[in-house]
Amino acid sequence: MNSKVKIIKKYLRGRFSLDDKAAVDEYFSNQKHDQELSKILNDHFNELETQSATKDLSPLLKVINHKKQFHSAKRRSPLARLGQVYAKAAAVLLVPLLIATIYFYQNQDRGAAPWVEIHSPYGARTQFSLPDGSTGWLNSGSIIRYPAQFHSNREVNLNGEAYFDVVKNTRSPFQVHTKSVDIKVLGTSFNIVSYDIDSLAEVVVTSGKVEVVANGKNMKQQLLPNERLVFNNNKGSAEKSLVDVQNYTSWKTGKLIFQNDNLNEVTRKLSRFYNVSFAIGENVDRSQSFRAIMEKENLEEVLRYMKLTMSLDYNILERKTNNEGLVTRREVLITAPAGK
């Protein structure tokens, strides 16, 4: 199996790295790969048909019918090329080949409920629907996993940031499980940030009431609309405050709002929004704040505005090519202004 086949199969299974995604983007944007891609997709389609012969695919059909929406760089997406490359597989492969990737777990024990996993790669924001009619948005670099059908409890697992608009059901509580905290509601709308690699978890409530419980820590808090809870997993501490909810939920519509955010927070948001990594010099004041509303600006426009309003300079480093011939992620070096 050549490297191209391996990468595409990983992508179709929803198990891919940023470099894998870049490679898939390149394959589907170049017509010279059409014949080979057609064969790969045809083989995958036949495998899927064989594996699914004895399965009930009604949950999968529900997943495929979910409305997907995403924002990404101005390049031709794999989905756009798919229609030209291989129409037969489109109905089955539609969801896996979206930039927001869904993987349907069929390798379950007989009788066990299948699970669905949605990946939203860096630089993308994804709208999703859950089996009970609840809806939401998944931010870049985030993963949500849930059963294809809810039963007595409605439970989802999250790694990253998501906004939920939960259908009310007093007989079936809705729960979000993350590495740091668990969220329990009956019906409400709220935003949660809890990446596995981060020590901080954040919950902001738009409507209704939310209960937040820290995993392995003695902390339980109830939040009402316009309240924000920040939990520090390393210290086991929590801080609650009143906030303007829009500042924390605008990302789902492609808008970034900064209200006196410090430099670390600004670069964290920009990194996931624009799919870029930041390196901040030791002599840069990380406590300085930034106020701005960004909606359609590209990364360089945002950086130029930061330079005008903050005490810093920046340099967008040239991309490199790794050992597999793939272009690496963009990196921005933040430095102190000249003479400081």
Side-chain angles (χ1 to χ4, degrees), residues 1 13 41 70 81 85 123 132 137 160 185 218 246-247:
M1 182 184 298
R13 292 195 302 268
L41 294 176
F70 57 88
R81 294 288 299 134
V85 175
D132 65 338
W137 286 85
V185 302
N218 184 23
Q246 185 182 7
N247 296 343

Side-chain angles (χ1 to χ4, degrees), residues 103-274:
Y103 179 57
F104 184 80
Y105 288 86
Q106 293 186 341
N107 298 322
Q108 305 284 336
D109 295 333
R110 186 172 297 276
W115 284 68
V116 175
E117 190 171 280
I118 304 177
H119 293 236
S120 188
Y122 287 101
R125 291 160 299 285
T126 308
Q127 192 175 19
F128 61 84
S129 297
L130 298 174
D132 65 338
S134 298
T135 59
W137 286 85
L138 196 64
N139 206 351
S140 62
S142 303
I143 302 170
I144 187 173
R145 185 172 182 264
Y146 57 90
Q149 293 180 330
F150 286 146
H151 297 289
S152 58
N153 291 321
R154 299 176 292 167
E155 299 186 46
V156 304
N157 298 318
L158 174 70
N159 173 13
E161 180 170 13
Y163 178 86
F164 292 92
D165 191 355
V166 179
V167 172
K168 188 172 183 178
N169 185 340
T170 57
R171 293 173 298 179
S172 179
F174 185 91
Q175 300 179 68
V176 181
H177 301 292
T178 75
K179 180 180 179 181
S180 298
V181 296
D182 288 341
I183 311 297
K184 183 178 180 180
V185 302
L186 296 177
T188 183
S189 55
F190 61 97
N191 194 82
I192 176 172
V193 184
S194 183
Y195 287 88
D196 286 355
I197 62 174
D198 291 347
S199 61
L200 297 180
E202 171 190 284
V203 181
V204 177
V205 178
T206 303
S207 64
K209 182 169 65 175
V210 168
E211 181 180 89
V212 183
V213 179
N215 297 327
K217 303 289 194 305
N218 184 23
M219 192 282 291
K220 179 187 290 188
Q221 295 266 3
Q222 288 192 342
L223 300 180
L224 298 175
N226 301 313
E227 289 188 332
R228 173 187 183 230
L229 179 74
V230 177
F231 175 71
N232 188 315
N233 192 48
N234 291 340
K235 298 180 180 179
S237 61
E239 181 179 345
K240 187 162 67 173
S241 59
L242 288 174
V243 297
D244 183 346
V245 172
Q246 185 182 7
N247 296 343
Y248 299 90
T249 61
S250 61
W251 60 266
K252 59 190 175 68
T253 59
K255 181 188 295 184
L256 285 175
I257 299 177
F258 300 99
Q259 294 284 6
N260 293 322
D261 293 347
N262 64 40
L263 185 58
N264 284 338
E265 181 67 12
V266 171
T267 55
R268 182 185 68 84
K269 290 181 179 179
L270 293 178
S271 175
R272 287 167 180 157
F273 197 87
Y274 290 104

Side-chain angles (χ1 to χ4, degrees), residues 14-25:
R15 294 287 192 268
F16 60 91
S17 66
L18 185 64
D19 286 345
D20 293 334
K21 179 189 175 297
V24 171
D25 282 346

Side-chain angles (χ1 to χ4, degrees), residues 58-74:
S58 58
L60 179 58
L61 293 178
K62 290 182 181 179
V63 173
I64 292 176
N65 287 327
H66 286 173
K67 181 182 179 183
K68 312 305 301 173
Q69 181 174 347
F70 57 88
H71 306 269
S72 62
K74 295 180 180 179

Side-chain angles (χ1 to χ4, degrees), residues 297-315:
E297 290 81 0
N298 59 41
L299 176 63
E300 291 192 51
E301 289 173 325
V302 175
L303 292 172
R304 283 198 294 269
Y305 187 68
M306 289 174 61
K307 181 178 178 178
L308 286 172
T309 58
M310 305 174 76
S311 179
L312 57 78
D313 203 347
Y314 70 89
N315 182 27

